[in-house]
Amino acid sequence: MKNPSKVVLLRNMVGPGEVDEDLQPETAEECSRYGDVVKCLIYEIPNSPDPEEAVRIFVQFTRMEAAIKAVVDLNGRFFGGRTVKAGFFDEDRFDCLDLAP
């Protein structure tokens, strides 16, 4: 695992303009099966040239073990006809809300 952290980045779950009011609570609830979720943030990149990168979903867990389980289980999983890309995200950048690629 490359640079594990307590923050998981989910990409390609939804495309540009597909974020709705249910996405954040549903993602947090789904991820809570891996462990306690501290925060779930959705960051949409305006005018992103790459539709897979347009919506970035961040899930912060209380324990690194939960984040590792989430990445293992969610990476490559199909969601709404898309293949989810899950990986770890730097905790310091997350804390500063530096969420762009």
Short mmCIF file of all heavy atoms in Angstrom, two decimals, residues 9-77:
data_model
loop_
_atom_site.label_atom_id
_atom_site.label_comp_id
_atom_site.label_asym_id
_atom_site.label_seq_id
_atom_site.Cartn_x
_atom_site.Cartn_y
_atom_site.Cartn_z
N LEU A 9 -9.34 8.79 -0.64
CA LEU A 9 -9.84 9.57 -1.78
C LEU A 9 -10.53 8.61 -2.73
O LEU A 9 -9.93 7.63 -3.19
CB LEU A 9 -8.68 10.27 -2.49
CG LEU A 9 -8.98 10.89 -3.86
CD1 LEU A 9 -10.09 11.92 -3.78
CD2 LEU A 9 -7.72 11.49 -4.45
N LEU A 10 -11.80 8.90 -3.03
CA LEU A 10 -12.57 8.11 -3.99
C LEU A 10 -12.77 8.95 -5.23
O LEU A 10 -13.24 10.09 -5.17
CB LEU A 10 -13.94 7.73 -3.39
CG LEU A 10 -13.90 6.96 -2.07
CD1 LEU A 10 -15.30 6.83 -1.49
CD2 LEU A 10 -13.27 5.59 -2.28
N ARG A 11 -12.39 8.39 -6.37
CA ARG A 11 -12.54 9.09 -7.64
C ARG A 11 -13.40 8.24 -8.58
O ARG A 11 -13.46 7.02 -8.45
CB ARG A 11 -11.18 9.35 -8.30
CG ARG A 11 -10.33 10.31 -7.50
CD ARG A 11 -8.93 10.44 -8.04
NE ARG A 11 -8.24 9.17 -7.87
CZ ARG A 11 -7.40 8.66 -8.76
NH1 ARG A 11 -7.12 9.27 -9.87
NH2 ARG A 11 -6.82 7.50 -8.52
N ASN A 12 -14.04 8.89 -9.51
CA ASN A 12 -14.84 8.25 -10.55
C ASN A 12 -16.10 7.57 -10.01
O ASN A 12 -16.65 6.68 -10.64
CB ASN A 12 -14.00 7.25 -11.37
CG ASN A 12 -14.62 6.94 -12.72
OD1 ASN A 12 -15.17 7.83 -13.37
ND2 ASN A 12 -14.57 5.69 -13.14
N MET A 13 -16.59 7.99 -8.83
CA MET A 13 -17.87 7.46 -8.34
C MET A 13 -19.03 8.10 -9.09
O MET A 13 -20.01 7.43 -9.39
CB MET A 13 -18.02 7.70 -6.84
CG MET A 13 -17.33 6.64 -6.02
SD MET A 13 -17.66 6.74 -4.25
CE MET A 13 -19.41 6.49 -4.15
N VAL A 14 -18.89 9.39 -9.35
CA VAL A 14 -19.88 10.12 -10.15
C VAL A 14 -19.13 11.05 -11.08
O VAL A 14 -17.96 11.37 -10.86
CB VAL A 14 -20.87 10.93 -9.28
CG1 VAL A 14 -21.70 10.02 -8.38
CG2 VAL A 14 -20.15 11.97 -8.44
N GLY A 15 -19.81 11.49 -12.12
CA GLY A 15 -19.20 12.39 -13.09
C GLY A 15 -19.52 13.84 -12.79
O GLY A 15 -20.24 14.16 -11.84
N PRO A 16 -19.00 14.74 -13.63
CA PRO A 16 -19.24 16.16 -13.43
C PRO A 16 -20.74 16.46 -13.47
O PRO A 16 -21.47 15.93 -14.31
CB PRO A 16 -18.52 16.83 -14.60
CG PRO A 16 -17.85 15.75 -15.37
CD PRO A 16 -18.21 14.43 -14.78
N GLY A 17 -21.20 17.29 -12.54
CA GLY A 17 -22.60 17.67 -12.50
C GLY A 17 -23.54 16.61 -11.93
O GLY A 17 -24.75 16.80 -11.91
N GLU A 18 -23.00 15.48 -11.45
CA GLU A 18 -23.84 14.40 -10.95
C GLU A 18 -23.90 14.35 -9.41
O GLU A 18 -24.49 13.43 -8.85
CB GLU A 18 -23.33 13.04 -11.46
CG GLU A 18 -23.46 12.88 -12.96
CD GLU A 18 -22.90 11.56 -13.46
OE1 GLU A 18 -22.44 10.73 -12.64
OE2 GLU A 18 -22.91 11.35 -14.68
N VAL A 19 -23.33 15.33 -8.74
CA VAL A 19 -23.36 15.36 -7.28
C VAL A 19 -24.75 15.81 -6.84
O VAL A 19 -25.26 16.82 -7.30
CB VAL A 19 -22.30 16.33 -6.71
CG1 VAL A 19 -22.42 16.45 -5.21
CG2 VAL A 19 -20.91 15.87 -7.11
N ASP A 20 -25.38 15.01 -5.97
CA ASP A 20 -26.68 15.41 -5.43
C ASP A 20 -26.60 15.43 -3.90
O ASP A 20 -25.58 15.08 -3.31
CB ASP A 20 -27.80 14.50 -5.93
CG ASP A 20 -27.65 13.04 -5.49
OD1 ASP A 20 -26.97 12.78 -4.48
OD2 ASP A 20 -28.22 12.17 -6.15
N GLU A 21 -27.69 15.84 -3.27
CA GLU A 21 -27.68 16.01 -1.81
C GLU A 21 -27.54 14.69 -1.05
O GLU A 21 -27.21 14.69 0.14
CB GLU A 21 -28.94 16.74 -1.36
CG GLU A 21 -30.21 15.99 -1.69
CD GLU A 21 -31.47 16.80 -1.44
OE1 GLU A 21 -31.42 18.03 -1.58
OE2 GLU A 21 -32.49 16.19 -1.11
N ASP A 22 -27.78 13.56 -1.71
CA ASP A 22 -27.70 12.27 -1.05
C ASP A 22 -26.31 11.65 -1.09
O ASP A 22 -26.02 10.73 -0.33
CB ASP A 22 -28.69 11.27 -1.69
CG ASP A 22 -30.13 11.71 -1.52
OD1 ASP A 22 -30.45 12.33 -0.48
OD2 ASP A 22 -30.94 11.46 -2.44
N LEU A 23 -25.46 12.13 -1.99
CA LEU A 23 -24.16 11.48 -2.21
C LEU A 23 -23.29 11.48 -0.94
O LEU A 23 -22.74 10.44 -0.57
CB LEU A 23 -23.42 12.15 -3.37
CG LEU A 23 -22.08 11.50 -3.75
CD1 LEU A 23 -22.28 10.06 -4.19
CD2 LEU A 23 -21.41 12.31 -4.87
N GLN A 24 -23.18 12.61 -0.28
CA GLN A 24 -22.31 12.70 0.89
C GLN A 24 -22.81 11.81 2.03
O GLN A 24 -22.04 10.98 2.54
CB GLN A 24 -22.17 14.17 1.33
CG GLN A 24 -21.19 14.39 2.45
CD GLN A 24 -21.83 14.31 3.83
OE1 GLN A 24 -23.04 14.48 3.97
NE2 GLN A 24 -21.03 14.03 4.83
N PRO A 25 -24.08 11.91 2.46
CA PRO A 25 -24.50 11.03 3.57
C PRO A 25 -24.49 9.55 3.20
O PRO A 25 -24.16 8.70 4.03
CB PRO A 25 -25.91 11.52 3.92
CG PRO A 25 -26.36 12.34 2.77
CD PRO A 25 -25.12 12.85 2.09
N GLU A 26 -24.82 9.22 1.96
CA GLU A 26 -24.79 7.81 1.53
C GLU A 26 -23.37 7.26 1.52
O GLU A 26 -23.14 6.11 1.91
CB GLU A 26 -25.44 7.65 0.16
CG GLU A 26 -26.95 7.78 0.19
CD GLU A 26 -27.59 7.73 -1.19
OE1 GLU A 26 -26.86 7.64 -2.21
OE2 GLU A 26 -28.83 7.79 -1.24
N THR A 27 -22.42 8.07 1.06
CA THR A 27 -21.02 7.63 1.04
C THR A 27 -20.50 7.44 2.45
O THR A 27 -19.84 6.44 2.75
CB THR A 27 -20.15 8.65 0.27
OG1 THR A 27 -20.66 8.81 -1.05
CG2 THR A 27 -18.71 8.19 0.19
N ALA A 28 -20.81 8.39 3.34
CA ALA A 28 -20.37 8.28 4.74
C ALA A 28 -20.97 7.03 5.38
O ALA A 28 -20.27 6.30 6.09
CB ALA A 28 -20.77 9.53 5.52
N GLU A 29 -22.24 6.77 5.11
CA GLU A 29 -22.89 5.59 5.69
C GLU A 29 -22.27 4.30 5.15
O GLU A 29 -21.99 3.37 5.91
CB GLU A 29 -24.39 5.61 5.38
CG GLU A 29 -25.14 4.45 6.00
CD GLU A 29 -26.63 4.49 5.69
OE1 GLU A 29 -27.18 5.58 5.47
OE2 GLU A 29 -27.23 3.41 5.67
N GLU A 30 -22.04 4.25 3.85
CA GLU A 30 -21.43 3.06 3.24
C GLU A 30 -20.04 2.82 3.82
O GLU A 30 -19.67 1.69 4.12
CB GLU A 30 -21.35 3.25 1.72
CG GLU A 30 -20.65 2.15 0.97
CD GLU A 30 -21.43 0.84 0.88
OE1 GLU A 30 -22.65 0.84 1.11
OE2 GLU A 30 -20.79 -0.18 0.57
N CYS A 31 -19.27 3.88 3.99
CA CYS A 31 -17.90 3.74 4.49
C CYS A 31 -17.85 3.43 5.98
O CYS A 31 -16.85 2.90 6.46
CB CYS A 31 -17.10 5.00 4.18
SG CYS A 31 -16.68 5.14 2.43
N SER A 32 -18.92 3.71 6.70
CA SER A 32 -18.92 3.45 8.14
C SER A 32 -18.87 1.95 8.44
O SER A 32 -18.55 1.55 9.56
CB SER A 32 -20.15 4.08 8.81
OG SER A 32 -21.33 3.42 8.41
N ARG A 33 -19.11 1.12 7.44
CA ARG A 33 -18.99 -0.33 7.68
C ARG A 33 -17.53 -0.77 7.81
O ARG A 33 -17.26 -1.88 8.26
CB ARG A 33 -19.72 -1.13 6.62
CG ARG A 33 -19.20 -0.97 5.24
CD ARG A 33 -20.13 -1.61 4.22
NE ARG A 33 -19.37 -1.87 3.01
CZ ARG A 33 -19.57 -2.89 2.23
NH1 ARG A 33 -20.50 -3.76 2.50
NH2 ARG A 33 -18.82 -3.04 1.17
N TYR A 34 -16.59 0.10 7.42
CA TYR A 34 -15.16 -0.21 7.58
C TYR A 34 -14.62 0.30 8.91
O TYR A 34 -13.57 -0.14 9.35
CB TYR A 34 -14.35 0.41 6.43
CG TYR A 34 -14.86 -0.01 5.08
CD1 TYR A 34 -15.49 0.91 4.25
CD2 TYR A 34 -14.74 -1.32 4.64
CE1 TYR A 34 -15.98 0.52 3.02
CE2 TYR A 34 -15.24 -1.71 3.41
CZ TYR A 34 -15.86 -0.78 2.61
OH TYR A 34 -16.37 -1.17 1.39
N GLY A 35 -15.31 1.27 9.51
CA GLY A 35 -14.88 1.86 10.77
C GLY A 35 -15.54 3.22 10.95
O GLY A 35 -16.32 3.66 10.11
N ASP A 36 -15.20 3.89 12.04
CA ASP A 36 -15.81 5.18 12.34
C ASP A 36 -15.33 6.25 11.37
O ASP A 36 -14.13 6.44 11.18
CB ASP A 36 -15.48 5.62 13.77
CG ASP A 36 -16.14 4.73 14.81
OD1 ASP A 36 -17.20 4.15 14.51
OD2 ASP A 36 -15.60 4.63 15.92
N VAL A 37 -16.29 6.94 10.75
CA VAL A 37 -16.00 8.02 9.80
C VAL A 37 -16.03 9.34 10.56
O VAL A 37 -17.00 9.65 11.25
CB VAL A 37 -17.04 8.04 8.65
CG1 VAL A 37 -16.86 9.26 7.77
CG2 VAL A 37 -16.93 6.76 7.82
N VAL A 38 -14.96 10.11 10.43
CA VAL A 38 -14.87 11.43 11.07
C VAL A 38 -15.56 12.46 10.19
O VAL A 38 -16.33 13.29 10.66
CB VAL A 38 -13.39 11.85 11.29
CG1 VAL A 38 -13.31 13.25 11.87
CG2 VAL A 38 -12.68 10.85 12.16
N LYS A 39 -15.26 12.39 8.89
CA LYS A 39 -15.75 13.42 7.97
C LYS A 39 -15.81 12.85 6.56
O LYS A 39 -14.99 12.01 6.19
CB LYS A 39 -14.78 14.60 8.01
CG LYS A 39 -15.23 15.84 7.30
CD LYS A 39 -14.17 16.94 7.32
CE LYS A 39 -13.87 17.43 8.71
NZ LYS A 39 -12.90 18.52 8.75
N CYS A 40 -16.79 13.32 5.79
CA CYS A 40 -16.88 12.98 4.37
C CYS A 40 -17.08 14.29 3.61
O CYS A 40 -18.03 15.03 3.89
CB CYS A 40 -18.06 12.03 4.14
SG CYS A 40 -18.29 11.55 2.41
N LEU A 41 -16.17 14.58 2.70
CA LEU A 41 -16.23 15.82 1.92
C LEU A 41 -16.28 15.50 0.43
O LEU A 41 -15.59 14.58 -0.03
CB LEU A 41 -14.99 16.68 2.16
CG LEU A 41 -14.82 17.36 3.50
CD1 LEU A 41 -13.48 18.10 3.54
CD2 LEU A 41 -15.95 18.34 3.74
N ILE A 42 -17.05 16.28 -0.29
CA ILE A 42 -17.10 16.14 -1.75
C ILE A 42 -16.54 17.41 -2.36
O ILE A 42 -16.97 18.52 -2.00
CB ILE A 42 -18.54 15.88 -2.23
CG1 ILE A 42 -19.03 14.55 -1.64
CG2 ILE A 42 -18.59 15.84 -3.76
CD1 ILE A 42 -20.46 14.23 -1.90
N TYR A 43 -15.59 17.25 -3.26
CA TYR A 43 -14.94 18.38 -3.92
C TYR A 43 -15.11 18.20 -5.41
O TYR A 43 -14.64 17.21 -5.98
CB TYR A 43 -13.46 18.41 -3.54
CG TYR A 43 -12.67 19.53 -4.16
CD1 TYR A 43 -12.83 20.84 -3.74
CD2 TYR A 43 -11.77 19.27 -5.18
CE1 TYR A 43 -12.10 21.87 -4.30
CE2 TYR A 43 -11.03 20.30 -5.76
CZ TYR A 43 -11.20 21.60 -5.31
OH TYR A 43 -10.48 22.60 -5.88
N GLU A 44 -15.83 19.13 -6.04
CA GLU A 44 -16.05 19.06 -7.49
C GLU A 44 -15.14 20.09 -8.17
O GLU A 44 -15.14 21.26 -7.80
CB GLU A 44 -17.51 19.31 -7.83
CG GLU A 44 -17.84 18.99 -9.27
CD GLU A 44 -19.34 18.85 -9.55
OE1 GLU A 44 -20.15 18.99 -8.61
OE2 GLU A 44 -19.67 18.58 -10.71
N ILE A 45 -14.37 19.62 -9.13
CA ILE A 45 -13.43 20.49 -9.84
C ILE A 45 -14.16 21.10 -11.04
O ILE A 45 -14.55 20.37 -11.96
CB ILE A 45 -12.20 19.70 -10.31
CG1 ILE A 45 -11.49 19.08 -9.11
CG2 ILE A 45 -11.25 20.59 -11.11
CD1 ILE A 45 -10.47 18.03 -9.46
N PRO A 46 -14.36 22.41 -11.03
CA PRO A 46 -15.07 23.03 -12.15
C PRO A 46 -14.26 22.93 -13.44
O PRO A 46 -13.04 23.10 -13.44
CB PRO A 46 -15.23 24.49 -11.72
CG PRO A 46 -14.44 24.67 -10.48
CD PRO A 46 -13.93 23.34 -10.03
N ASN A 47 -14.92 22.62 -14.53
CA ASN A 47 -14.31 22.55 -15.87
C ASN A 47 -13.13 21.59 -15.93
O ASN A 47 -12.16 21.84 -16.64
CB ASN A 47 -13.88 23.94 -16.34
CG ASN A 47 -15.01 24.94 -16.30
OD1 ASN A 47 -16.12 24.64 -16.72
ND2 ASN A 47 -14.75 26.12 -15.76
N SER A 48 -13.21 20.49 -15.20
CA SER A 48 -12.12 19.51 -15.22
C SER A 48 -12.04 18.84 -16.59
O SER A 48 -13.05 18.37 -17.11
CB SER A 48 -12.34 18.44 -14.15
OG SER A 48 -11.38 17.43 -14.27
N PRO A 49 -10.84 18.78 -17.18
CA PRO A 49 -10.70 18.11 -18.48
C PRO A 49 -10.84 16.59 -18.37
O PRO A 49 -11.11 15.92 -19.35
CB PRO A 49 -9.30 18.50 -18.94
CG PRO A 49 -8.56 18.83 -17.68
CD PRO A 49 -9.58 19.34 -16.71
N ASP A 50 -10.67 16.05 -17.17
CA ASP A 50 -10.74 14.60 -16.95
C ASP A 50 -12.00 14.28 -16.14
O ASP A 50 -12.05 14.55 -14.95
CB ASP A 50 -9.49 14.14 -16.21
CG ASP A 50 -9.46 12.64 -15.99
OD1 ASP A 50 -10.44 11.95 -16.34
OD2 ASP A 50 -8.45 12.15 -15.45
N PRO A 51 -13.02 13.69 -16.77
CA PRO A 51 -14.26 13.42 -16.03
C PRO A 51 -14.08 12.47 -14.85
O PRO A 51 -14.84 12.52 -13.89
CB PRO A 51 -15.19 12.80 -17.08
CG PRO A 51 -14.39 12.56 -18.30
CD PRO A 51 -13.08 13.29 -18.15
N GLU A 52 -13.04 11.62 -14.89
CA GLU A 52 -12.79 10.72 -13.77
C GLU A 52 -12.26 11.46 -12.55
O GLU A 52 -12.37 11.00 -11.43
CB GLU A 52 -11.81 9.61 -14.17
CG GLU A 52 -12.39 8.63 -15.16
CD GLU A 52 -11.45 7.46 -15.45
OE1 GLU A 52 -10.37 7.40 -14.85
OE2 GLU A 52 -11.83 6.62 -16.27
N GLU A 53 -11.66 12.62 -12.77
CA GLU A 53 -11.10 13.44 -11.68
C GLU A 53 -12.03 14.58 -11.27
O GLU A 53 -11.74 15.30 -10.33
CB GLU A 53 -9.76 14.06 -12.12
CG GLU A 53 -8.59 13.14 -12.02
CD GLU A 53 -8.10 12.97 -10.59
OE1 GLU A 53 -8.45 13.76 -9.70
OE2 GLU A 53 -7.36 12.00 -10.36
N ALA A 54 -13.14 14.77 -11.97
CA ALA A 54 -13.99 15.94 -11.76
C ALA A 54 -14.60 15.99 -10.37
O ALA A 54 -14.78 17.06 -9.79
CB ALA A 54 -15.10 15.99 -12.81
N VAL A 55 -14.94 14.83 -9.81
CA VAL A 55 -15.54 14.79 -8.47
C VAL A 55 -14.64 13.92 -7.59
O VAL A 55 -14.42 12.75 -7.88
CB VAL A 55 -16.97 14.22 -8.50
CG1 VAL A 55 -17.55 14.15 -7.10
CG2 VAL A 55 -17.86 15.06 -9.42
N ARG A 56 -14.13 14.52 -6.55
CA ARG A 56 -13.25 13.82 -5.61
C ARG A 56 -13.97 13.73 -4.27
O ARG A 56 -14.41 14.74 -3.72
CB ARG A 56 -11.93 14.58 -5.46
CG ARG A 56 -11.15 14.61 -6.77
CD ARG A 56 -10.08 15.70 -6.81
NE ARG A 56 -9.00 15.54 -5.88
CZ ARG A 56 -7.86 14.88 -6.13
NH1 ARG A 56 -7.68 14.31 -7.30
NH2 ARG A 56 -6.91 14.80 -5.21
N ILE A 57 -14.12 12.52 -3.75
CA ILE A 57 -14.81 12.30 -2.49
C ILE A 57 -13.77 11.86 -1.46
O ILE A 57 -13.04 10.89 -1.68
CB ILE A 57 -15.92 11.24 -2.64
CG1 ILE A 57 -16.91 11.70 -3.70
CG2 ILE A 57 -16.60 10.98 -1.30
CD1 ILE A 57 -17.94 10.65 -4.08
N PHE A 58 -13.71 12.58 -0.36
CA PHE A 58 -12.74 12.31 0.70
C PHE A 58 -13.47 11.77 1.92
O PHE A 58 -14.48 12.33 2.35
CB PHE A 58 -12.01 13.60 1.09
CG PHE A 58 -11.24 14.21 -0.05
CD1 PHE A 58 -11.85 15.07 -0.94
CD2 PHE A 58 -9.90 13.89 -0.23
CE1 PHE A 58 -11.15 15.63 -1.99
CE2 PHE A 58 -9.18 14.45 -1.29
CZ PHE A 58 -9.81 15.31 -2.16
N VAL A 59 -12.95 10.68 2.46
CA VAL A 59 -13.52 10.09 3.67
C VAL A 59 -12.40 9.97 4.70
O VAL A 59 -11.39 9.31 4.44
CB VAL A 59 -14.15 8.71 3.39
CG1 VAL A 59 -14.79 8.15 4.65
CG2 VAL A 59 -15.17 8.78 2.25
N GLN A 60 -12.59 10.62 5.84
CA GLN A 60 -11.60 10.55 6.91
C GLN A 60 -12.11 9.58 7.98
O GLN A 60 -13.23 9.71 8.47
CB GLN A 60 -11.40 11.94 7.52
CG GLN A 60 -10.34 11.97 8.60
CD GLN A 60 -10.18 13.35 9.20
OE1 GLN A 60 -11.14 14.11 9.28
NE2 GLN A 60 -8.97 13.68 9.61
N PHE A 61 -11.26 8.62 8.33
CA PHE A 61 -11.58 7.62 9.35
C PHE A 61 -10.83 7.93 10.64
O PHE A 61 -9.81 8.62 10.62
CB PHE A 61 -11.17 6.22 8.86
CG PHE A 61 -12.01 5.70 7.72
CD1 PHE A 61 -11.63 5.92 6.40
CD2 PHE A 61 -13.17 4.99 7.96
CE1 PHE A 61 -12.39 5.44 5.35
CE2 PHE A 61 -13.94 4.50 6.92
CZ PHE A 61 -13.56 4.72 5.61
N THR A 62 -11.31 7.38 11.75
CA THR A 62 -10.60 7.56 13.02
C THR A 62 -9.35 6.69 13.08
O THR A 62 -8.38 7.05 13.73
CB THR A 62 -11.50 7.21 14.23
OG1 THR A 62 -11.99 5.89 14.07
CG2 THR A 62 -12.64 8.19 14.37
N ARG A 63 -9.38 5.55 12.38
CA ARG A 63 -8.25 4.61 12.44
C ARG A 63 -7.74 4.27 11.04
O ARG A 63 -8.53 4.11 10.11
CB ARG A 63 -8.68 3.33 13.16
CG ARG A 63 -9.08 3.54 14.61
CD ARG A 63 -9.68 2.29 15.24
NE ARG A 63 -8.90 1.10 15.01
CZ ARG A 63 -7.90 0.67 15.79
NH1 ARG A 63 -7.59 1.35 16.87
NH2 ARG A 63 -7.24 -0.43 15.51
N MET A 64 -6.43 4.16 10.93
CA MET A 64 -5.83 3.82 9.65
C MET A 64 -6.28 2.45 9.15
O MET A 64 -6.45 2.24 7.95
CB MET A 64 -4.30 3.89 9.73
CG MET A 64 -3.67 3.81 8.35
SD MET A 64 -1.91 4.06 8.30
CE MET A 64 -1.70 5.58 9.15
N GLU A 65 -6.50 1.51 10.06
CA GLU A 65 -6.93 0.16 9.66
C GLU A 65 -8.25 0.23 8.89
O GLU A 65 -8.45 -0.52 7.94
CB GLU A 65 -7.08 -0.75 10.88
CG GLU A 65 -5.78 -1.04 11.62
CD GLU A 65 -5.36 0.04 12.62
OE1 GLU A 65 -6.07 1.08 12.75
OE2 GLU A 65 -4.32 -0.13 13.25
N ALA A 66 -9.15 1.11 9.31
CA ALA A 66 -10.44 1.26 8.64
C ALA A 66 -10.22 1.82 7.23
O ALA A 66 -10.86 1.37 6.27
CB ALA A 66 -11.36 2.17 9.44
N ALA A 67 -9.33 2.79 7.10
CA ALA A 67 -9.04 3.37 5.79
C ALA A 67 -8.44 2.33 4.86
O ALA A 67 -8.79 2.27 3.67
CB ALA A 67 -8.10 4.57 5.95
N ILE A 68 -7.56 1.50 5.38
CA ILE A 68 -6.94 0.44 4.56
C ILE A 68 -8.01 -0.53 4.08
O ILE A 68 -8.05 -0.89 2.90
CB ILE A 68 -5.82 -0.28 5.35
CG1 ILE A 68 -4.64 0.68 5.56
CG2 ILE A 68 -5.38 -1.54 4.63
CD1 ILE A 68 -3.59 0.17 6.54
N LYS A 69 -8.90 -0.94 4.97
CA LYS A 69 -9.99 -1.84 4.57
C LYS A 69 -10.85 -1.22 3.48
O LYS A 69 -11.25 -1.89 2.53
CB LYS A 69 -10.90 -2.16 5.78
CG LYS A 69 -10.34 -3.16 6.74
CD LYS A 69 -11.44 -3.49 7.76
CE LYS A 69 -10.86 -3.77 9.11
NZ LYS A 69 -11.88 -3.88 10.15
N ALA A 70 -11.15 0.08 3.63
CA ALA A 70 -11.98 0.77 2.64
C ALA A 70 -11.30 0.81 1.27
O ALA A 70 -11.94 0.53 0.25
CB ALA A 70 -12.28 2.19 3.12
N VAL A 71 -10.02 1.13 1.24
CA VAL A 71 -9.31 1.18 -0.05
C VAL A 71 -9.27 -0.19 -0.71
O VAL A 71 -9.55 -0.33 -1.90
CB VAL A 71 -7.88 1.74 0.14
CG1 VAL A 71 -7.03 1.54 -1.12
CG2 VAL A 71 -7.93 3.22 0.49
N VAL A 72 -8.98 -1.22 0.08
CA VAL A 72 -8.91 -2.58 -0.46
C VAL A 72 -10.27 -2.99 -1.05
O VAL A 72 -10.35 -3.55 -2.14
CB VAL A 72 -8.45 -3.59 0.62
CG1 VAL A 72 -8.66 -5.02 0.19
CG2 VAL A 72 -6.99 -3.34 0.96
N ASP A 73 -11.34 -2.68 -0.33
CA ASP A 73 -12.66 -3.11 -0.76
C ASP A 73 -13.25 -2.25 -1.88
O ASP A 73 -13.92 -2.76 -2.79
CB ASP A 73 -13.62 -3.10 0.44
CG ASP A 73 -14.91 -3.82 0.15
OD1 ASP A 73 -14.86 -4.96 -0.37
OD2 ASP A 73 -15.99 -3.26 0.41
N LEU A 74 -13.01 -0.94 -1.85
CA LEU A 74 -13.67 -0.03 -2.79
C LEU A 74 -12.92 0.15 -4.10
O LEU A 74 -13.54 0.45 -5.12
CB LEU A 74 -13.91 1.33 -2.14
CG LEU A 74 -14.87 1.34 -0.95
CD1 LEU A 74 -14.87 2.69 -0.27
CD2 LEU A 74 -16.28 0.96 -1.41
N ASN A 75 -11.61 0.00 -4.10
CA ASN A 75 -10.84 0.21 -5.34
C ASN A 75 -11.23 -0.85 -6.38
O ASN A 75 -11.15 -2.04 -6.12
CB ASN A 75 -9.34 0.16 -5.07
CG ASN A 75 -8.54 0.65 -6.26
OD1 ASN A 75 -8.86 1.68 -6.84
ND2 ASN A 75 -7.54 -0.10 -6.64
N GLY A 76 -11.68 -0.39 -7.52
CA GLY A 76 -12.08 -1.29 -8.59
C GLY A 76 -13.54 -1.72 -8.53
O GLY A 76 -14.04 -2.40 -9.43
N ARG A 77 -14.25 -1.30 -7.49
CA ARG A 77 -15.67 -1.64 -7.34
C ARG A 77 -16.52 -0.83 -8.32
O ARG A 77 -16.22 0.31 -8.62
CB ARG A 77 -16.08 -1.34 -5.90
CG ARG A 77 -17.49 -1.69 -5.57
CD ARG A 77 -17.67 -1.52 -4.07
NE ARG A 77 -19.05 -1.47 -3.71
CZ ARG A 77 -19.50 -1.24 -2.50
NH1 ARG A 77 -18.65 -1.02 -1.52
NH2 ARG A 77 -20.77 -1.21 -2.24
#
